[in-house]
Amino acid sequence: MGVPARGALAAIVAVTALAVYLNSFGCGFVFDDISAIKDNRDLRPHTPLKNVFYNDFWGTPMHKEQSHKSYRPLCVLTFRWNYLIHQLDPMGYHLLNVILHVGVCLLYFRICLMFLPDAASFVSSLFFAVHPIHTEAVTGVVGRAETLSSLFYLAALITYTKCCRSKRSTGWKYLILSMFFVFTAMLCKEQGITATAVCVLYEIFVVQKVRARDIFLALKSAFGGNKISPAWSGEGTKRLTALTLVTFSLLILRLHIMGSKLPVFTRFDNPASVAATPTRQLTYNYLAAVNLRLLFLPSDLCCDWTMGTIPLVESFTDIRNLATLATHGTVLGLLVTAVVTRSRQTSVILIMSLAMMILPFLPASNLFFPVGFVIAERVLYAPSMGFCMLIGYGWSILADKKCKKLVLVLLVTLLAAHTTKTFVRNYDWLDEYSIFMSGLKVNDRNAKLFNNVGHALESQGRFKEALNFFNMAVQVQGDDIGAHINVGRTYNHLKMFKEAEDAYLKAKSLLPKAKPGESYQARIAPNHLNVFVNLANLIAKNATRLEEADLLYRQAISMRADYTQAYINRGDVLIKLNRTKEAQEVYERALFYDSNNPDIYYNLGVVFLEQGKASQALAYLDKALEFDPEHEQALLNSAILLQELGRAELRKVARERLLKLLRKDSNNERVHFNLGMLAMDDHDSGSAERWFRNAVALKEDFRSALFNLALLLADEQRPLEAAPFLNQLVRFHPDHVKGLILLGDIYINNIKDLDAAENCYRRILQLDPTNIQGLHNLCVVMVERGKLGLAAQCLERAAALAPQQDYVQRHLSIVRTRISRLPPDQRDTDVFDDSFWNGNVRDRNFNNEPTNGKFLGKTDSVFANHAVVHNHIGSKQSNTDSLNNHIIHLKGPSKPARAMSGVGTETKDGQRPEQTVPELTNIVEPTTDRVFDRIISADVTKLDITQKHGSKHANSEFQFNRSAATVGGKQGIQQTKDSALS
């Protein structure tokens, strides 16, 4: 067949490979993609490029025990390139994966043409293009390591064939290029180095034309005392020497990069790896049979084959040993055929096919060293090349017989079945829920699948359903520590704290016990230590158990000195215990083990902020941004610190950082709020109003945004627009004293609704019986009603509470003068109701009080149409607010009382982002002037220290939180995924 015809066949192969994976473009990031892409800092442009060459595939430094030692920097570079172009849009990643698969199919077709007839090569390539076993390698984004490595693997084979076209000369340029491709393939995935072994066999059986039987005869004669040497060229010896040197050099380099330690896997990842003899050997050999069966019959594909998926083969009488014997018998039979056949072509095809099927599989076979899985479908991508070559060759033999039509029908049927299976299988990879549920349909003995379905439901907020799957995981694998951790975390989400603690304690009890003379650190899976952090986080919710939580963190650190999550969370507890100096030392110790962690720098910034060292705090926040320019909390808090310095040029930087946050998340109401505060600093009330309205539109109960917006409108003489926002404020926050004072002012001065105003002031006095502003203004309401006797009693009480306030004495004198001028029969004899001074008002539920209902009902209806809340984008909630003196002054006996607007803006309640982290109280004093009068009081602001939620381990086993500490959040439990990895 000519070159044009082969080109047409190649085009058909390429189009088929593309078409069968078109529906994968709509899939998201699932399973291992989360750890390798979404959570991998090495993909971010701000991360130094050199980190890619020091860290493993998942972003963990190679020297750390947590590393899986999977060194694939070139594959990570392609992910980084994807991220540079379109960040975390999955379609671009899937598109490149499919393009790589098409490229591999074309090179594979070229390889097949070296050994098979054109038709058989075409059939083999079509089978390879559509084989369902490849869906994990192509549709799963992390499978790119397989396709990229295979691309260079095939390129190495093709260039090697060019270097040895002649027995008498060597094309050294092609040989060097071939070895470069081997090196490149190995940097994409470790199995790429097996290309040199395939080249060796090609040199022996194809170039040197040594027959398998000749080697057999040579060995036989050597043992018999005779010496028979097959024909051999000196150039072949040179090439084989070069291959050997390169192979050993690459192996030494790979071992050096990996270090002296093998990766740490648990018995849940690979149960056979910790089994005794002969169970381990019997199981490993049976797994080879299972892999071959998946190539022959890919009907029940599963994304995860760990844990109890394949029970151990514990005895020689296990019937599954028959499958092992059949597999080894088949391979041995093909090898024998290659030796005894008189057809040199058949011998070469069988040898090269078996070499391409077996050699790339050896690194994942567990025969030389344990791997972190039982079966992984994606590792069969390269071995399937040899398998498909055998299928194509077998088809060509059958097609040469008499039943050509039947063979063709069977071929079309098989190709159609494989194509359909692959196309349908792609939909399983749409999201995490669908891929893990599809796994459960195949295998219900794998607790990890139950765990990961639970994680998928948990991410959707469906905690009760998630809990059911986590409990099923516990039932399937009762000693799975990760499953118990998941149960505890879900109970915590459901506010069932006692049950959560019990689950964590159960997980803790399953940890391996220390043995005398044996390193505990080396025997425990690193992520299982998260049970200490989760349990401590839960306990730390109770302020009386902080020391107990600290003990748990210290226990975890004693087991692993480099366990940075424990340092981070322990620092938070120390801050709650007001031991900020110790917290600082803990974070600095954490930096010793992880000097590139932006969260630790951020937390140190918070610690210095707690210590009142704003300049040092800002320096550490900027350092966090140096390592992660997208760090949301550092952006927000540094922007606020810059704003508080009160300099126009620094406010510009602060605004840029806030706008950067807004571009990342336009629905972040806290950012809108702080942009509003910046506008207030710049005396731009129009922009401030817009930002505040955005914040309120996004979060209707945003305390400070509601108050500051109302205050801004009132100050601009727009009280009727302010009133609805104040009503909204006190509906969600009935204890907001300053809002009640401002609302009462509007009722008196603008609405003339004395009943509603009185309700406002009585509510204030219920909350704080010593509030002079509220009490004084209540007295003014009584004056407005003409109840001078009650007003006098009220002012007398106010004067007794605040004898230093001259205006109270002056107003009391005015009222007494007016009373003295009235005839005795016109003086009211009512007694001032001071019931709000009785009882512990803090324990009351004011939402259920009748006065509250009356007050809210009336005001809502009066002002329903006076203000329009524009639906803009917004910011996160703030906690602090402040209020200036807002006192209603009596001008004299002949004039009606007027309320004077003297309310100050809320302080930057939204100064620090919300986060599920521990809390620390701190008073934030404003340092800049506002449009309104000077702030004289402030509520408490809370500072929270981050709890790192994320440990990037292979397969996303634990899903931890990704950001740092904030202000105004509540203690959050470190979220972990199943320890068996997802």
Side-chain angles (χ1 to χ4, degrees):
M1 191 176 289
V3 173
R6 287 181 173 180
L9 294 179
I12 294 173
V13 170
V15 170
T16 303
L18 175 64
V20 78
Y21 285 104
L22 276 177
N23 60 332
S24 70
F25 294 164
C27 297
F29 294 123
V30 299
F31 204 10
D32 292 351
D33 301 344
I34 306 300
S35 294
I37 297 169
K38 293 186 74 173
D39 296 339
N40 192 346
R41 288 206 301 259
D42 288 347
L43 271 61
R44 309 307 189 255
H46 60 266
T47 302
L49 189 62
K50 64 179 183 179
N51 285 17
V52 173
F53 296 93
Y54 286 101
N55 298 340
D56 69 11
F57 190 54
W58 318 96
T60 304
M62 287 291 291
H63 68 271
K64 288 195 172 185
E65 187 184 347
Q66 297 96 315
S67 171
H68 276 221
K69 313 299 182 184
S70 45
Y71 188 69
R72 304 162 192 174
L74 295 188
C75 185
V76 177
L77 281 176
T78 66
F79 292 149
R80 186 170 173 131
W81 176 67
N82 274 122
Y83 188 91
L84 186 65
I85 297 174
H86 44 74
Q87 284 74 50
L88 291 176
D89 181 4
M91 181 178 176
Y93 295 83
H94 288 292
L95 174 62
L96 183 55
N97 271 25
V98 174
I99 291 173
L100 288 172
H101 177 60
V102 171
V104 170
C105 290
L106 291 175
L107 290 183
Y108 178 65
F109 180 58
R110 171 79 177 274
I111 289 287
C112 289
L113 289 172
M114 297 179 186
F115 308 107
L116 299 175
D118 289 1
S121 298
F122 178 62
V123 169
S124 296
S125 300
L126 277 182
F127 264 109
F128 181 81
V130 302
H131 202 297
I133 202 69
H134 297 159
T135 51
E136 183 172 338
V138 181
T139 309
V141 177
V142 295
R144 183 178 301 175
E146 312 293 336
T147 56
L148 198 60
S149 176
S150 296
L151 192 73
F152 291 109
Y153 170 89
L154 293 174
L157 296 183
I158 292 172
T159 51
Y160 186 82
T161 62
K162 292 182 178 180
C163 84
C164 52
R165 287 173 177 168
S166 170
K167 274 190 173 186
R168 299 180 180 180
S169 64
T170 298
W172 290 104
K173 179 179 70 173
Y174 286 112
L175 180 61
I176 293 172
L177 185 60
S178 176
M179 295 304 96
F180 172 76
F181 284 140
V182 172
F183 177 62
T184 305
M186 192 182 76
L187 293 181
C188 297
K189 193 172 183 185
E190 298 77 4
Q191 67 187 30
I193 197 173
T194 61
T196 58
V198 178
C199 290
V200 167
L201 294 177
Y202 180 83
E203 176 73 40
I204 295 172
F205 294 105
V206 179
V207 179
Q208 302 298 329
K209 297 182 179 179
V210 175
R211 298 181 55 151
R213 66 183 303 170
D214 293 338
I215 296 177
F216 178 76
L217 291 173
L219 290 173
K220 182 179 179 182
S221 63
F223 283 109
N226 300 321
K227 188 174 181 181
I228 299 177
S229 299
W232 193 270
S233 71
E235 290 299 317
T237 302
K238 293 178 183 179
R239 288 192 291 266
L240 288 182
T241 301
L243 285 173
T244 303
L245 289 175
V246 168
T247 302
F248 278 101
S249 298
L250 292 179
L251 283 174
I252 292 170
L253 176 63
R254 182 65 180 84
L255 291 172
H256 174 72
I257 292 172
M258 185 173 70
S260 59
K261 294 182 180 179
L262 289 173
V264 177
F265 300 114
T266 70
R267 60 190 177 85
F268 303 112
D269 301 320
N270 188 349
S273 64
V274 296
T277 303
T279 300
R280 181 169 64 255
Q281 291 76 16
L282 291 174
T283 303
Y284 283 161
N285 281 276
Y286 173 67
L287 292 180
V290 175
N291 279 282
L292 186 60
R293 197 271 300 168
L294 286 173
L295 289 173
F296 268 111
L297 188 63
S299 58
D300 50 351
L301 300 180
C302 181
C303 63
D304 192 287
W305 294 81
T306 55
M307 304 188 83
T309 303
I310 299 178
L312 297 176
V313 181
E314 298 179 324
S315 71
F316 290 100
T317 59
D318 193 312
I319 195 172
R320 290 176 293 172
N321 288 319
L322 294 177
T324 303
L325 293 174
T327 299
H328 292 319
T330 300
V331 173
L332 186 61
L334 290 172
L335 285 174
V336 170
T337 302
V339 171
V340 302
T341 183
R342 295 185 177 277
S343 169
R344 180 177 173 276
Q345 181 185 18
T346 300
S347 179
V348 167
I349 292 173
L350 290 176
I351 289 172
M352 295 307 298
S353 297
L354 289 173
M356 293 183 69
M357 182 174 72
I358 295 173
L359 292 175
F361 178 72
L362 288 179
S365 66
N366 286 287
L367 296 177
F368 299 105
F369 47 81
V371 295
F373 52 83
V374 178
I375 287 176
E377 292 167 8
R378 61 177 176 267
V379 304
L380 294 176
Y381 186 81
S384 67
M385 295 177 187
F387 174 81
C388 290
M389 193 180 292
L390 287 172
I391 295 297
Y393 182 58
W395 173 83
S396 66
I397 293 175
L398 292 176
D400 290 338
K401 306 297 181 183
K402 296 181 180 180
C403 304
K404 291 185 178 181
K405 291 185 179 180
L406 178 61
V407 172
L408 183 62
V409 170
L410 291 175
L411 172 67
V412 172
T413 303
L414 192 56
L415 283 172
H418 276 50
T419 302
T420 303
K421 175 66 177 179
T422 299
F423 195 81
V424 173
R425 175 65 174 165
N426 289 336
Y427 286 115
D428 289 339
W429 291 85
L430 187 64
D431 55 42
E432 292 212 306
Y433 180 79
S434 61
I435 187 60
F436 296 130
M437 284 300 295
S438 71
L440 280 178
K441 293 175 184 177
V442 173
N443 169 30
D444 59 359
R445 295 188 302 272
N446 188 339
K448 186 174 168 186
L449 289 172
F450 287 102
N451 277 312
N452 285 328
V453 172
H455 292 318
L457 293 169
E458 188 180 29
S459 67
Q460 300 171 16
R462 297 158 64 181
F463 298 121
K464 290 185 177 179
E465 296 174 69
L467 182 60
N468 291 334
F469 279 93
F470 291 142
N471 281 324
M472 282 189 276
V474 170
Q475 292 174 14
V476 171
Q477 187 90 35
D479 57 353
D480 179 12
I481 297 172
H484 290 283
I485 292 175
N486 292 333
V487 170
R489 189 184 62 254
T490 310
Y491 274 130
N492 182 65
H493 286 313
L494 295 171
K495 311 300 182 186
M496 301 170 68
F497 302 124
K498 177 63 170 64
E499 291 81 356
E501 184 172 350
D502 291 342
Y504 288 141
L505 289 173
K506 176 62 176 177
K508 184 170 175 284
S509 70
L510 293 172
L511 290 173
K513 304 298 184 289
K515 296 179 180 179
E518 185 174 341
S519 169
Y520 196 83
Q521 174 173 314
R523 296 189 312 105
I524 188 168
N527 286 309
H528 284 176
L529 284 176
N530 283 288
V531 66
F532 289 96
V533 173
N534 284 18
L535 179 58
N537 290 344
L538 178 64
I539 288 174
K541 288 175 178 285
N542 185 341
T544 65
R545 302 179 68 186
L546 293 178
E547 294 288 356
E548 187 180 346
D550 184 43
L551 179 62
L552 285 167
Y553 292 132
R554 285 188 282 120
Q555 187 176 356
I557 291 170
S558 70
M559 294 180 180
R560 292 191 60 86
D562 62 346
Y563 187 35
T564 54
Q565 291 101 314
Y567 287 104
I568 291 173
N569 289 282
R570 184 177 179 228
D572 162 57
V573 166
L574 290 173
I575 289 179
K576 286 175 143 184
L577 292 168
N578 295 322
R579 291 152 60 181
T580 56
K581 187 62 179 174
E582 287 184 63
Q584 177 184 336
E585 294 171 356
V586 165
Y587 289 135
E588 289 170 348
R589 184 65 178 171
L591 283 178
F592 176 78
Y593 295 107
D594 191 358
S595 59
N596 297 327
N597 191 324
D599 291 339
I600 301 175
Y601 288 105
Y602 175 81
N603 282 358
L604 273 168
V606 174
V607 169
F608 282 114
L609 196 60
E610 285 299 305
Q611 296 174 355
K613 302 174 181 178
S615 59
Q616 289 170 273
L618 185 58
Y620 274 102
L621 293 177
D622 286 341
K623 189 69 174 177
L625 290 174
E626 179 183 325
F627 285 102
D628 183 4
E630 307 297 319
H631 196 287
E632 296 183 12
Q633 284 72 27
L635 283 170
L636 185 55
N637 286 337
S638 62
I640 292 163
L641 282 177
L642 290 169
Q643 176 187 357
E644 290 298 335
L645 293 176
R647 290 157 51 187
E649 67 274 15
L650 295 182
R651 287 202 296 273
K652 181 180 179 182
V653 177
R655 182 175 293 102
E656 289 173 355
R657 293 184 178 184
L658 291 172
L659 290 174
K660 184 175 183 178
L661 280 172
L662 203 60
R663 287 191 293 271
K664 289 169 61 70
D665 180 8
S666 61
N667 293 320
N668 187 328
E669 70 275 4
R670 190 179 290 273
V671 176
H672 284 273
F673 175 82
N674 283 284
L675 283 167
M677 299 305 291
L678 272 175
M680 296 285 288
D681 284 338
D682 292 334
H683 307 290
D684 184 356
S685 58
S687 295
E689 178 185 346
R690 175 170 57 87
W691 292 120
F692 288 150
R693 284 183 181 272
N694 291 350
V696 171
L698 283 170
K699 188 174 178 62
E700 62 177 352
D701 63 343
F702 194 164
R703 176 186 173 104
S704 293
L706 285 165
F707 179 76
N708 285 358
L709 176 57
L711 189 57
L712 176 66
L713 295 170
D715 186 71
E716 293 189 337
Q717 308 303 315
R718 296 155 65 189
L720 298 183
E721 293 182 56
F725 295 109
L726 289 169
N727 277 291
Q728 190 172 336
L729 172 65
V730 297
R731 183 169 72 251
F732 290 108
H733 306 284
D735 59 345
H736 199 293
V737 173
K738 304 168 192 68
L740 290 166
I741 288 176
L742 182 57
L743 187 57
D745 167 40
I746 293 174
Y747 278 133
I748 293 178
N749 289 334
N750 304 100
I751 311 303
K752 312 300 181 185
D753 188 341
L754 297 180
D755 289 339
E758 181 176 349
N759 282 335
C760 288
Y761 299 132
R762 287 190 177 275
R763 175 72 62 77
I764 293 168
L765 294 173
Q766 287 177 325
L767 295 167
D768 181 10
T770 62
N771 188 292
I772 297 301
Q773 297 175 32
L775 181 58
H776 175 271
N777 289 0
L778 177 61
C779 302
V780 174
V781 171
M782 296 173 183
V783 173
E784 289 291 300
R785 294 183 186 279
K787 303 287 188 178
L788 298 181
L790 287 175
Q793 297 175 57
C794 178
L795 288 167
E796 288 170 358
R797 180 58 66 93
L801 286 174
Q804 74 282 4
Q805 298 291 343
D806 293 338
Y807 70 89
V808 176
Q809 298 290 348
R810 187 170 64 254
H811 294 171
L812 177 59
S813 176
I814 293 172
V815 170
R816 285 174 174 171
T817 300
R818 291 177 63 179
I819 291 174
S820 66
R821 293 176 181 173
L822 293 175
D825 58 339
Q826 294 183 15
R827 299 176 187 176
D828 63 275
T829 58
D830 295 339
V831 177
F832 179 60
D833 178 14
D834 59 356
S835 60
F836 39 76
W837 268 286
N838 300 323
N840 185 355
V841 296
R842 298 288 180 189
D843 295 335
R844 299 180 187 175
N845 182 354
F846 295 109
N847 285 317
N848 298 327
E849 292 182 7
T851 55
N852 186 33
K854 176 183 176 183
F855 160 71
L856 292 176
K858 184 165 186 175
T859 56
D860 283 348
S861 61
V862 170
F863 294 104
N865 300 317
H866 279 293
V868 178
V869 179
H870 299 286
N871 189 13
H872 296 291
I873 12 199
S875 138
K876 271 191 184 134
Q877 181 181 354
S878 53
N879 295 23
T880 55
D881 52 20
S882 52
L883 178 66
N884 281 12
N885 290 329
H886 179 68
I887 302 166
I888 301 173
H889 290 278
L890 297 176
K891 299 295 184 182
S894 60
K895 298 199 178 184
R898 297 287 296 166
M900 302 184 63
S901 272
V903 187
T905 59
E906 297 236 342
T907 60
K908 300 184 188 90
D909 180 20
Q911 290 186 18
R912 294 171 176 72
E914 234 175 329
Q915 186 69 17
T916 54
V917 284
E919 303 171 355
L920 177 71
T921 49
N922 181 44
I923 301 299
V924 176
E925 295 293 346
T927 58
T928 55
D929 293 335
R930 302 289 181 224
V931 179
F932 307 105
D933 296 337
R934 181 175 178 76
I935 298 171
I936 64 167
S937 62
D939 288 343
V940 172
T941 298
K942 299 192 174 177
L943 288 177
D944 296 337
I945 300 304
T946 182
Q947 302 195 2
K948 181 170 174 73
H949 272 208
S951 134
K952 287 182 266 301
H953 226 303
N955 308 342
S956 298
E957 54 188 284
F958 287 94
Q959 181 183 21
F960 301 96
N961 196 4
R962 306 179 244 289
S963 38
T966 65
V967 177
K970 294 197 180 202
Q971 166 96 14
I973 296 302
Q974 182 171 3
Q975 296 189 338
T976 63
K977 276 194 178 180
D978 169 19
S979 61
L981 301 197
S982 52

